[in-house]
Amino acid sequence: MTEDIAATLRPISEPRILDGVYSDDQHRRLVDVVRRNGPWKLILAQHFKSPEEVVATVSGGMPEGVELSFDMFLTPNFRGYFAQNGTCLYPEIEDAFYNSAFLEQARSYWNARYARPEMMLFNIQGPSGSTDPAHLDATTFRGVTMKNTPIWLMNTMTKSGLFKHWLHRKAQVITWFYPGRIGGGFTYWPEGPHAQPKRLAAPMWNRGVVVQNEMMYHRGEANGPVDMRTPAGLAFQSLLGADPDAPDGWRITTDGAVIQKIPPAETRFLVHWSAEIYMDMAELKVVMDSTDDLTHERVFDMFVKDLRTRGITFPVPSDPFTDTAFIRLLNKTYDVGAPRFYPAEAPGPRQAAA
Ligand SMILES: [Fe+2]
């Protein structure tokens, strides 16, 4: 069963590699927004309420009996948004978000008629480990989106293969500014998580990919000097912001105390731009007019029916959004496992720990 699912987890097209993605002036303004509007929270702290939710989003379940805790996933990766729900949050970078060159890339990647910018975020970090074996980006469906649904549920819907009819088509342009020479590349599995991966190696400065990352397993690799990857004092509430003492430097604080300073040479800055895609006017109308939307009730009904069809017995949860036993059951049932192969230069977290 998971073989079938693994084989369907492929992007619509082979990822395209781009160089010189942003102008120097755009890059300067993007960084300036990050420096002036921080500090920024950990990625984990922004998206998840429990470790079970994290596990449902990454691939590969936890062994039975292992007690989950946030510490297992605590790496110093921070995030903020430049644009959300089609709206640019900072006028000084509007040209980067409402970006005709990116829209043309997105349309041609899908061979589609229309594209609409949806979201733009950045990840920023200094040296960091990677506990992520590989993941899918937030999938959304007609009626089931970031506005009303947690990421773990949408990604479990993707892995199940039950909801393809309602999947929102998307394309991303993901760009890195990372001058470091220790790790920090991008591994991706365009033929599915059971096939051989491909890799973009660091240093990567203004280099990007056009992808469909919610249907393609991928991971950011561990980066930077190993002894700097887990700063002492890192906690769920840690923040990253501009270092006032260094014009291009950054710092991590926990409860107001500086726990690490990050020099520019070790800063890994990623900009993620995403667009919704509509193949033609008919699809555009179905989406915009909400004539064929899913509801949460229908989603859980379809899961419950599918689990029963598989002969699995379980108590029907009263609140499936927060019922950790039910989340674990979905995760286990639709798990395709961690990718089978990793590049020799960038082993997966379990190989690296072995
Ligand atoms: Fe991702």
Side-chain angles (χ1 to χ4, degrees):
M1 202 284 298
T2 56
E3 288 294 331
D4 296 352
I5 292 176
T8 66
L9 289 170
R10 300 171 64 147
I12 187 70
S13 298
E14 173 72 22
R16 293 179 185 169
I17 295 164
L18 307 176
D19 281 303
V21 181
Y22 294 95
S23 70
D24 290 344
D25 177 52
Q26 284 175 323
H27 173 247
R28 184 188 55 73
R29 283 181 280 124
L30 291 167
V31 171
D32 192 52
V33 165
V34 179
R35 290 190 77 81
R36 282 188 292 106
N37 296 280
W40 307 92
K41 289 183 185 175
L42 285 172
I43 295 176
L44 275 186
Q46 301 196 20
H47 294 295
F48 300 105
K49 292 199 183 78
S50 77
E52 280 78 9
E53 291 188 5
V54 179
V55 171
T57 303
V58 300
S59 60
M62 295 300 290
E64 288 290 331
V66 171
E67 195 59 36
L68 296 169
S69 77
F70 273 127
D71 289 355
M72 291 178 189
F73 307 100
L74 199 58
T75 50
N77 313 123
F78 300 82
R79 171 171 292 177
Y81 288 88
F82 290 130
Q84 283 181 297
N85 297 323
T87 308
C88 189
L89 304 179
Y90 305 96
E92 59 270 45
I93 54 167
E94 270 173 7
D95 59 315
F97 180 59
Y98 301 111
N99 189 316
S100 293
F102 288 5
L103 288 167
E104 180 49 34
Q105 283 287 351
R107 284 189 299 259
S108 71
Y109 183 73
W110 273 90
N111 196 22
R113 191 90 191 262
Y114 306 108
R116 185 169 66 93
E118 181 206 19
M119 189 266 280
M120 191 177 191
L121 63 74
F122 61 89
N123 292 346
I124 186 166
Q125 65 196 62
S128 174
S130 173
T131 58
D132 173 23
H135 68 276
L136 302 170
D137 283 359
T139 332
T140 64
F141 299 82
R142 294 201 294 278
V144 174
T145 69
M146 295 288 276
K147 293 175 198 171
N148 61 9
T149 308
I151 293 172
W152 71 264
L153 178 59
M154 294 185 283
N155 281 358
T156 307
M157 288 169 66
T158 305
K159 290 189 222 173
S160 77
L162 296 170
F163 304 95
K164 280 189 181 158
H165 172 71
W166 294 273
L167 181 72
H168 278 142
R169 303 175 202 274
K170 290 185 191 179
Q172 296 84 31
V173 176
I174 299 172
T175 309
W176 292 267
F177 296 89
Y178 175 56
R181 300 199 169 259
I182 306 171
F186 177 68
T187 306
Y188 57 103
W189 284 261
E191 310 292 329
H194 292 179
Q196 291 291 341
K198 292 191 173 179
R199 179 170 187 250
L200 274 188
M204 302 185 287
W205 192 263
N206 206 10
R207 172 166 259 213
V209 285
V210 186
V211 285
Q212 186 195 6
N213 258 1
E214 69 277 4
M215 284 298 288
M216 178 178 77
Y217 272 87
H218 61 278
R219 71 187 289 262
E221 301 163 5
N223 67 288
V226 172
D227 62 355
M228 291 176 70
R229 289 179 182 179
T230 311
L234 184 68
F236 192 65
Q237 70 274 22
S238 292
L239 300 169
L240 180 144
D243 181 351
D245 303 325
D248 299 319
W250 304 88
R251 66 181 192 182
I252 300 174
T253 57
T254 302
D255 301 329
V258 177
I259 64 162
Q260 188 178 51
K261 294 209 170 202
I262 303 166
E266 295 298 341
T267 301
R268 190 175 186 269
F269 180 53
L270 173 159
V271 183
H272 171 123
W273 177 93
S274 180
E276 291 199 359
I277 305 293
Y278 309 99
M279 299 305 288
D280 51 31
M281 183 54 75
E283 185 176 46
L284 183 63
K285 282 185 79 67
V286 163
V287 176
M288 294 300 170
D289 297 346
S290 297
T291 49
D292 185 22
D293 279 6
L294 277 171
T295 61
H296 289 146
E297 199 179 5
R298 187 162 178 195
V299 168
F300 286 115
D301 278 355
M302 285 175 69
F303 271 132
V304 165
K305 278 200 187 89
D306 190 59
L307 292 169
R308 289 201 175 123
T309 304
R310 294 170 189 278
I312 299 166
T313 52
F314 57 95
V316 175
S318 56
D319 182 2
F321 279 109
T322 56
D323 186 316
T324 54
F326 188 67
I327 294 171
R328 276 183 192 243
L329 176 65
L330 291 177
N331 185 40
K332 192 172 154 190
T333 306
Y334 302 110
D335 180 29
V336 297
R340 225 164 249 174
F341 309 104
Y342 288 86
E345 305 86 352
R350 288 173 197 175
Q351 293 167 297

